[in-house]
Amino acid sequence: MASLVVAITVTPALCLALLTRHAHDEKDARLASWLKAGYGRLLAAVERHWKAVALGAAALMAATLAMLPWLGGDFLPELREGHYVIHVSSLPGTSLAESLRVGEGISKRLLAIPQVRSVGQRAGRAEKADDTWGPHYSEFDVDLRPMASEDEAETAEAAVRKALDGTPGIAYSVKTFLAERVEETLSGYTAAVAVSIFGQDLDTLDAEAQRVAKLLGSVRGAADVHIEAPPGAPEIAIRLRPEALVRWGLTPADVLDAAQTAFQGAVVGQVQEGPRVFNVAVSLAPGERRGLDDVRSLPIRAPEGQLLRLGQLADVYAASGRYAVLRSGARRAQTVTCNVAGRDVASFVAEAKALIAREAQLAPGDYAEFGGAAEAQAQASRKLMAHSAAAAVAIALMLWLALGRARNAALALLNLPFALSGGALALAASGGGLTLGALVGFVTLFGISLRNAVMLLSHAESLVLVEALPWDVQTVRRAAVERLSPILMTALATALGLLPLALGSGAPGREIEGPMALVILGGLVTSTALNLLLMPGLALRFARFDTRPADGL
C-alpha cells in the first residue's frame, strides 16, 4: 500500500523535478540500444515461425501441468535445526531404573557418531505433570555439531537412526524441535502422520491398530511406526471373594482402602511450617511392597479384632492391563503414528489411505481418520485455493477495467501458466515439493507476471488509441521493444533481491524461504521470456484496441 501511494504521488512529482523536459529525444544508452535491436530481430524471427513457437510453449505448459501431481509436497520442509528430539518407548511397565540403563547404552552409541556433540536423557515424569507417559518412556536431546551441507545433515540423521536400531525392544521417533512442536500442535502427536481408529471395543481396536501399523510400515518411506497406547502394561489384580468378606464381617471398601493405603499411600494429616502446608501420607515401607507375596501378606484387621491376610480375602495375581485409554470427541480411539523419510508426506498419505481402506478390514462401525502434517497441508492448500480464487475474480475484473476488453484481460491472465511452468520446473530441478513456502512463492510470482503483461498490453493500447497507429505487426513490435527495458528491469530487480535466498536455499533457517525464492526465480525466467516472445504475437492475433463494443469483448 505504501509503494502504491508513493508511485501515484511522489514518483510523478520527482519525475517532473528531476527528469529533463526532452528526455524522449535523447538517444538510449548503448546497452539498451543493443538490447532493443537484438530483441527486434528476435521478434521478427519469432513472427516468421510463430506457430512453432506457440506450439512449443503450449507443449511446455502442458508437460508442466502434467508434472505437478508428481511433485508431491509437505506442509513444512525438512528443518535443519542442528538438534534432534528423540522419543524412545519400551514395553509398558518397564521400570525407571531399566529405562535409565537402556538410555545409557543409547547415549553411548549416539555419542560415537562424529556429528553428535552432546546427548541428554529425560525419563519418567513428575508426580503431577501434564504428560501421561510412564517410566517406560524417555526423551533424548541430541545436539549436533555445525554442518556445512545438506548431505552431511542427512548422513547424521541416518547414523542416529542406525544407532537406535541397535537397541532391541524399543520404538522411537526422531524429530527436530520446531518440527515436533508444529506436528504436535496440528495432530496432538509428535509425528508427521497420525492414523486414529475409532470404535467401542478396546480389544478390537488393539487388533485393528496392529494391522494398521503393519500396513503403514509396508509403505515406502515409513519410519518410526508406533502405536500410541499399546496394551500389555503389567499390573497386580485383586479380586475379592464375597463369601470370605461375609464370613469375617468386612466390606469391599474396607479391604480395598487398606490395600490402597499400603501400596499407594493415603493422606492422614498436614504439617505447617510458617506459611507453607505439607500433606502427611502413610504407606508401607518400600521393602515391604515389592511383589505378589507382599500384596498377599498385607494384614487386614477384621471388626472383631482378628488379623487376616489379604490372600485369605481375595485372589491376588499378575495380570496385563492398560496404562492409557485414548479418547477423541468422547469416542474411544487407538492411534498409530509414523514419520516419513525419503519421500514427500502427501504422496505417502495418499498411498497409505488407499492401502488401509483396501486391506485394514475394520470391524463394522469402526473407522480410521488421518491427521498430522499431511491433513494440515491439505487444509492450508484448500484455504489458499479458495482465497486465491476469490482474489483471481477481483483481479480479472480490475484487468478488464484497466484494459477495456475481456479478451485483453484474458491475454494478460495467460501469463500465469507461463509463470507456473518455470516455478514448477525450478521445484523439480531442486528436488523439492509443494511446501507452504512454494505455494506462497507461486502467489507472489503470479502478481509479478501479471504486472509485466499489463505493461506490454497497456502500452500497445496507448499506441493505438492515443497515437492513432494502426494495429499491425509494426505497432505491436514497437510496443514490445519500447517496453523491453521496464519489463527486464522489473524482473531483474526481483530476481537480484531473491538470488541470495535461492542460492542458500539448503542452508539452515532458509527451508521455507528457499523454495519460495526458487519458485519466483524459475517463474520469472519463463514468464519474462514467453511474455516478451509469445505475447506480442498473441496480442496481434487476439487483442483489440481500435473500438470498444458495449459488451466489452
Side-chain angles (χ1 to χ4, degrees):
M1 294 299 297
S3 66
L4 177 63
V5 172
V6 170
I8 62 178
T9 56
V10 179
T11 302
L14 291 177
C15 290
L16 179 63
L18 300 178
L19 297 181
T20 61
R21 294 181 178 274
H22 303 287
H24 62 281
D25 294 333
E26 297 179 1
K27 294 186 178 296
D28 294 333
R30 182 174 300 177
L31 176 61
S33 299
W34 178 78
L35 286 175
K36 290 181 178 180
Y39 178 51
R41 291 191 296 270
L42 184 59
L43 275 181
V46 169
E47 183 60 31
R48 289 193 299 270
H49 306 284
W50 191 83
K51 288 186 177 180
V53 175
L55 287 175
L60 173 65
M61 287 185 287
T64 305
L65 291 175
M67 181 185 66
L68 282 177
W70 300 99
L71 284 178
D74 301 311
F75 181 67
L76 287 176
E78 191 81 20
L79 300 178
R80 292 177 289 278
E81 302 177 47
H83 186 93
Y84 289 129
V85 178
I86 303 176
H87 300 266
V88 174
S89 178
S90 55
L91 292 176
T94 302
S95 66
L96 184 59
E98 180 64 14
S99 291
L100 293 174
R101 187 193 67 80
V102 172
E104 185 178 357
I106 292 175
S107 299
K108 289 180 179 179
R109 285 192 292 274
L110 292 175
L111 288 171
I113 300 173
Q115 295 89 346
V116 173
R117 180 160 50 189
S118 65
V119 178
Q121 180 189 8
R122 296 191 300 275
R125 71 175 189 270
E127 183 179 356
K128 295 183 179 180
D130 294 332
D131 297 316
T132 58
W133 54 67
H136 66 289
Y137 181 90
S138 296
E139 283 187 357
F140 291 82
D141 294 315
V142 180
D143 188 36
L144 303 178
R145 303 181 191 278
M147 286 173 282
S149 65
E150 183 177 354
D151 293 338
E152 189 176 357
E154 292 177 355
T155 302
E157 182 176 354
V160 168
R161 292 184 180 276
K162 184 177 180 181
L164 293 168
D165 288 336
T167 304
I170 65 168
Y172 66 86
S173 66
V174 180
K175 281 291 178 183
T176 59
F177 180 81
L178 183 58
E180 177 188 279
R181 295 280 76 83
V182 171
E183 289 169 354
E184 191 170 17
T185 301
L186 295 174
S187 64
Y189 299 101
T190 56
V193 180
V195 185
S196 295
I197 308 157
F198 295 94
Q200 292 299 323
D201 186 73
L202 291 177
D203 293 333
T204 302
L205 285 177
D206 291 337
E208 292 170 345
Q210 293 288 347
R211 290 198 296 271
V212 169
K214 184 177 180 181
L215 292 173
L216 274 181
S218 66
V219 179
R220 182 178 64 84
D224 311 336
V225 180
H226 178 57
I227 299 176
E228 288 298 317
E235 62 184 18
I236 296 176
I238 300 175
R239 184 180 298 274
L240 299 176
R241 295 196 291 267
E243 65 281 1
L245 297 180
V246 172
R247 176 182 176 185
W248 297 104
L250 293 166
T251 65
D254 295 333
V255 178
L256 295 180
D257 285 346
Q260 181 179 7
T261 300
F263 295 100
Q264 188 174 347
V267 177
V268 296
Q270 290 182 327
V271 174
Q272 184 173 358
E273 288 186 5
R276 296 182 297 176
V277 177
F278 301 92
N279 290 330
V280 177
V282 297
S283 66
L284 286 179
E288 297 179 2
R289 44 191 174 101
R290 293 181 177 275
L292 284 174
D293 291 338
D294 293 331
V295 178
R296 294 191 184 104
S297 301
L298 177 67
I300 305 291
R301 188 172 295 279
E304 297 183 0
Q306 301 92 334
L307 194 62
L308 308 171
R309 300 295 180 184
L310 181 59
Q312 297 175 252
L313 305 172
D315 297 322
V316 181
Y317 55 93
S320 178
R322 304 172 184 275
Y323 76 93
V325 176
L326 301 181
R327 291 181 179 274
S328 177
R331 300 165 295 176
R332 283 181 173 177
Q334 182 62 279
T335 301
V336 182
T337 60
C338 76
N339 292 316
V340 181
R343 65 182 297 187
D344 64 281
V345 176
S347 63
F348 175 88
V349 170
E351 184 178 347
K353 280 184 176 180
L355 183 64
I356 289 174
R358 186 173 63 250
E359 299 185 17
Q361 299 177 354
L362 301 182
D366 292 1
Y367 59 96
E369 287 184 356
F370 276 74
E375 293 303 305
Q377 180 197 13
Q379 292 178 8
S381 299
R382 286 194 293 269
K383 288 182 180 179
L384 187 61
M385 292 300 294
H387 297 164
S388 299
V393 173
I395 290 170
L397 290 175
M398 287 188 288
L399 286 174
W400 177 69
L401 292 175
L403 299 175
R405 288 175 176 267
R407 64 168 63 197
N408 295 352
L411 280 177
L413 290 172
L414 190 60
N415 215 37
L416 298 186
F418 295 170
L420 179 66
S421 300
L425 289 174
L427 276 183
S430 66
L434 293 174
T435 62
L436 189 61
L439 292 176
V440 174
F442 276 115
V443 174
T444 307
L445 172 63
F446 291 160
I448 299 172
S449 302
L450 279 176
R451 181 173 56 186
N452 290 340
V454 170
M455 277 197 295
L456 177 60
L457 292 173
S458 62
H459 187 57
E461 181 183 33
S462 176
L463 293 178
V464 172
L465 299 182
V466 178
E467 299 188 21
L469 296 179
W471 185 234
D472 55 16
V473 174
Q474 298 302 322
T475 301
V476 73
R477 190 175 299 174
R478 175 182 168 183
V481 170
E482 290 180 352
R483 280 294 168 264
L484 174 65
S485 295
I487 290 175
L488 286 181
M489 290 305 298
T490 301
L492 285 175
T494 305
L496 289 175
L498 292 172
L499 188 60
L501 282 178
L503 293 178
S505 60
R510 297 183 181 177
E511 296 88 344
I512 295 178
E513 295 173 335
M516 179 188 70
L518 286 173
V519 164
I520 296 175
L521 284 177
L524 280 177
V525 171
T526 55
S527 67
T528 303
L530 293 176
N531 190 57
L532 290 174
L533 298 179
L534 194 60
M535 185 60 71
L538 289 172
L540 177 65
R541 288 161 176 80
F542 300 104
R544 294 293 181 269
F545 300 114
D546 49 352
T547 59
R548 295 190 180 187
D551 60 1
L553 297 175

